[in-house]
Amino acid sequence: MRNVLPAIAALLLVGGGCLNAGVEVDSTTESKVEAEQMIIGAVEGTVDTEVNVEAGAGTVIEVEGGAEVEANTKAEVIVSITSSGFSPASITVEAGTTVTFVNNDTIPHWPASNPHPVHTTLSAFDSKGKVQPGDSYSYTFTDEGTWKYHCHLRPGLTGEVIVE
C-alpha cells in the first residue's frame, strides 16, 4: 500500500451497497471538504485499499474494521495544509490521481509548482490565488515524474508529488 493512506478520503458506493465509516453526512454538513475530513478521521488506519467516490450530503458511510475495498476509480489523495506545512509533505501516486490540498490553517495558502515565484515546472499545477481556511484546491497529476511544490504566500512550506 502506498504512503498516501493517511491522506485518502475513503468513500465508496457499490451497486446499492454502502462502504461506511460510521459517519453520517447530512444537510448540516457545510462542504464536501468538511465531510471528507469527518470521514478521514473515522476510517484512518482501517481501510486496506485506496478508494474514492464523490459523495454528497445525505450519504451514510460505514466501514467494518479492516475491510478490503476495491473500486474502479482513481484515488483522490488529501494533503492537509497547516501552519507547519503540507501533510504529508511527500506522496507517491499513480498517474491520473487527483490530489486535493485542504487548507486546515487559519490563514490563506496558495499551492503551486516550483520554482517560486513563477511556477513553471508544472505550470497547470497552481491554484492561481489564495485558498482560504476551510477551502481546497485540487489538481489531477497525469504526467509521471517528481513534482515539487510550495506555498506561494509562504515559500518555505514545500512538498512533492511523485507520479508513477
Side-chain angles (χ1 to χ4, degrees), residues 66-121:
E68 287 190 21
V69 179
E70 288 187 35
N72 293 324
T73 63
K74 291 290 183 183
E76 179 180 16
V77 178
I78 307 297
V79 173
S80 178
I81 311 170
T82 67
S83 60
S84 57
F86 296 94
S87 180
S90 178
I91 58 174
T92 301
V93 299
E94 293 181 19
T97 299
T98 298
V99 179
T100 298
F101 297 84
V102 179
N103 186 352
N104 291 312
D105 200 355
T106 58
I107 59 175
H109 288 277
W110 181 332
S113 71
N114 282 355
H116 179 74
V118 293
H119 315 145
T120 54
T121 302

Side-chain angles (χ1 to χ4, degrees), residues 32-33 36 52 54 75-79 81 97-103 111 124-129 131 135-141 161:
K32 179 179 174 244
V33 171
E36 287 173 345
N52 178 69
E54 300 286 327
E76 179 180 16
V77 178
I78 307 297
V79 173
I81 311 170
T97 299
T98 298
V99 179
T100 298
F101 297 84
V102 179
N103 186 352
F125 171 38
D126 182 347
S127 65
K128 306 279 190 224
V131 177
D135 286 343
S136 65
Y137 162 70
S138 295
Y139 180 78
T140 301
F141 287 85
V161 177

